[in-house]
Amino acid sequence: MHELYQEEHANNQPKQVKLKYYRDVFNTEFNLSFHKPKKDVCNVCFSYNNSSEQEQLEKQDEYDNHHSRKTRVRQLKAEYKALAKDDKSIRAVTFDLA
């Protein structure tokens, strides 16, 4: 966000604020903080992990199918990355659509 701020105010403001000051303003004035999440969790996994044992039993098939698809997609991603590394005419691109 600080980089976007710098780009936006490159010509409009004579002196831009440093990253530390930028963070301090967000932390104190807006009660917002910056951190990198430890791990991104999809809705299916989040729902399953936060369900009761009974609900988990009901969702077990959906959860198992989800993990099978996830494993297969990761395998495909690794294969395409390897192809793109070896063949410069191939590009491997991924998107998070959530």
Side-chain angles (χ1 to χ4, degrees):
M1 285 176 47
H2 184 257
E3 288 176 15
L4 293 173
Y5 156 78
Q6 287 179 315
E7 289 173 14
E8 182 71 25
H9 293 92
N11 297 326
N12 300 339
Q13 191 172 0
K15 184 177 178 185
Q16 297 176 12
V17 297
K18 304 263 186 217
L19 178 60
K20 182 176 178 355
Y21 184 78
Y22 186 85
R23 284 177 167 273
D24 288 342
V25 168
F26 269 84
N27 290 339
T28 58
E29 301 295 323
F30 300 106
N31 196 25
L32 298 173
S33 61
F34 299 89
H35 75 281
K36 290 185 178 182
K38 293 180 182 177
K39 186 167 183 185
D40 194 16
V41 180
C42 73
N43 291 338
V44 174
C45 291
F46 183 82
S47 174
Y48 180 83
N49 292 332
N50 290 305
S51 297
S52 67
E53 288 183 33
Q54 179 63 34
E55 290 172 324
Q56 286 181 348
L57 288 173
E58 294 169 4
K59 297 177 180 182
Q60 191 65 49
D61 287 338
E62 176 189 5
Y63 183 72
D64 291 342
N65 289 335
H66 170 70
H67 267 276
S68 295
R69 288 190 313 270
K70 180 174 75 171
T71 302
R72 179 65 184 136
V73 167
R74 285 186 176 165
Q75 289 171 344
L76 287 170
K77 178 183 172 186
E79 291 171 17
Y80 285 123
K81 278 178 74 173
L83 280 173
K85 195 177 249 186
D86 294 337
D87 184 350
K88 298 302 178 194
S89 68
I90 297 175
R91 300 283 187 250
V93 181
T94 61
F95 297 92
D96 184 358
L97 300 175

